[in-house]
Amino acid sequence: MPDPEILRQAILERLSKVIDPETGVDVVRMRLIEDLFTDDQGHVSYTFRPSSPLCPIAVPLSNSIQMAVAEVPGVTTQDVKVIGFALSDELTALLKQALEDWDRKQKK
């Protein structure tokens, strides 16, 4: 079982390498990730807030964030919620489906 604080730090370190292509700044420094929580079972939950309600790169950037979190050793599952985006509910559902598809591929 991973230590939640060590896992959280590893996730933040990995997310610091996800760069917003419009600004050239990482998503941690831009504070696009909020409410990052981990537990001792490797479950991760966080909120993604794009830089604007009509952010043109919200979909690919959120996908990059989600895949970066999934790559961190010790992460077993993740829940992401998108807020502050014109299509927040739709993007949250899309990310959930992408994670389910990714999990199925990993288990094969």
Side-chain angles (χ1 to χ4, degrees):
M1 290 186 261
D3 177 282
E5 186 54 32
I6 292 172
L7 182 59
R8 184 177 188 282
Q9 291 305 315
I11 291 167
L12 288 172
E13 169 126 359
R14 178 61 184 91
L15 287 174
S16 72
K17 294 173 178 44
V18 177
I19 305 298
D20 178 325
E22 288 191 332
T23 64
V25 178
D26 71 81
V27 298
V28 174
R29 284 188 30 215
M30 287 186 67
R31 297 187 177 147
L32 301 181
I33 304 299
E34 302 174 356
D35 304 320
L36 175 62
F37 298 104
T38 60
D39 68 19
D40 61 358
Q41 301 299 311
H43 178 74
V44 180
S45 64
Y46 56 94
T47 301
F48 168 57
R49 180 187 296 271
S51 57
S52 76
L54 298 173
C55 179
I57 60 165
V59 174
L61 187 57
S62 61
N63 188 52
S64 295
I65 291 166
Q66 190 173 47
M67 292 300 105
V69 171
E71 292 170 357
V72 175
V75 171
T76 57
T77 59
Q78 59 177 299
D79 288 320
V80 58
K81 179 179 180 184
V82 180
I83 61 172
F85 182 61
L87 301 171
S88 292
D89 292 340
E90 292 85 350
L91 183 52
T92 297
L94 179 68
L95 290 170
K96 183 176 181 178
Q97 182 61 50
L99 254 183
E100 289 170 0
D101 293 345
W102 188 82
D103 283 343
R104 273 194 294 277
K105 288 178 185 175
Q106 295 301 314
K107 291 178 181 174
K108 287 185 178 180

